[in-house]
Amino acid sequence: MTLHADLFFSFRSPYSYLAVGRYRAMTEEYDLDINLRTVWPIAIRDPDILFSGNPAAPRYIVMDSMRVAQHLGIPYRWPRPDPVVQDFANREIAKEQPLIRRICRLGQAASRHGKGLAFADEVSRIIFSGEVDGWDEGDHLAKAAERAGLDLAELDAEVLADTDTLDAEIAANQDALETAGHWGVPTLVLDGEPFYGQDRIDMAKWRMEQKGLEKR
């Protein structure tokens, strides 16, 4: 019996990047379907929350995500360019956000076609792995979409034709995440039970095994 779960994901979250490939590998090894549900990063969704905590938090997140990546052997570098346009000196988030809005809408469109997990994995790699500079330029995105079994031009056309509906779906994903009992990403939700963070993958798998997870 195929198990089904939702993965709530942000294209700016380094921890989402560090989790998505491992979840994708699980779906390839096990009779498991994981539906990717894109949410806006907190910098877009609610920057007041982003800046209301301890000022040491951003520095710690960068340090810790680098440490986790080294521990797991996953290539990692802070994105160039950052998907969110932000002045780190004064913490100001730009009003116009062409990169993150495009990539989140593309991710949601990919999920409509049942390929959201693969798309998020491939795109996150070009954003965070450090293997390319200017991930938003040239054919990097097109090749990432192709590796996920999608056509970037077709996805872009879908985004242009259905922007408002895609944005509503992304907002609904955030509501569903909060209903499941969490607010952050990455969070896997299995039968209503949330597993937050890249460090909860083994525990999520343990729960899946209790529910009959089997190899393909």
Side-chain angles (χ1 to χ4, degrees):
M1 180 182 69
T2 302
L3 294 183
H4 298 273
D6 289 330
L7 178 62
F8 294 89
F9 178 93
S10 162
F11 282 93
R12 203 224 192 171
S13 160
Y15 294 116
S16 287
Y17 160 63
L18 294 170
V20 68
R22 294 144 71 197
Y23 276 126
R24 183 183 182 187
M26 287 176 61
T27 65
E28 293 169 350
E29 183 177 0
Y30 296 93
D31 191 7
L32 170 67
D33 175 65
I34 296 178
N35 176 41
L36 188 99
R37 302 187 67 169
T38 298
V39 299
W40 302 118
I42 190 68
I44 302 302
R45 191 169 71 246
D46 196 340
D48 290 339
I49 291 178
L50 179 67
F51 297 137
S52 63
N54 192 301
R59 184 172 64 252
Y60 179 81
I61 289 171
V62 172
M63 180 195 70
D64 184 59
S65 58
M66 291 182 65
R67 177 173 59 198
V68 171
Q70 291 171 357
H71 177 70
L72 295 172
I74 298 175
Y76 173 78
R77 182 188 68 190
W78 192 259
R80 301 179 187 173
D82 192 320
V84 171
V85 183
Q86 177 179 352
D87 185 334
F88 282 95
N90 60 23
R91 298 187 174 187
E92 182 179 352
I93 305 293
K95 182 177 180 180
E96 299 298 323
Q97 294 289 342
L99 294 181
I100 195 63
R101 293 205 181 276
R102 179 191 180 201
I103 207 68
C104 286
R105 290 163 180 159
L106 288 171
Q108 184 60 28
S111 292
R112 287 178 169 182
H113 298 280
K115 298 179 184 283
L117 192 68
F119 181 84
D121 181 29
E122 297 294 344
V123 170
S124 289
R125 289 184 192 184
I126 66 168
I127 293 175
F128 281 99
S129 71
E131 295 172 0
V132 303
D133 284 319
W135 59 266
D136 59 321
E137 300 174 348
D139 62 356
H140 297 310
L141 276 173
K143 287 184 175 179
E146 183 178 357
R147 290 192 295 270
L150 295 161
D151 183 283
L152 182 63
E154 292 178 358
L155 285 180
D156 272 324
E158 184 173 347
V159 167
L160 285 173
D162 209 13
T163 299
D164 290 345
T165 303
L166 285 165
D167 286 357
E169 291 173 8
I170 292 170
N173 289 343
Q174 182 63 38
D175 290 342
L177 171 58
E178 293 176 4
T179 297
H182 215 279
W183 56 92
V185 292
T187 293
L188 184 98
V189 177
L190 175 70
D191 292 341
E193 183 178 7
F195 297 83
Y196 167 66
Q198 63 80 29
D199 56 348
R200 288 295 181 266
I201 294 177
D202 287 343
M203 187 171 289
K205 183 183 175 186
W206 165 76
R207 180 68 82 206
M208 291 175 188
E209 290 171 342
Q210 291 181 329
K211 294 177 178 291
L213 182 68
E214 295 181 347
K215 289 195 174 184
R216 293 191 182 277

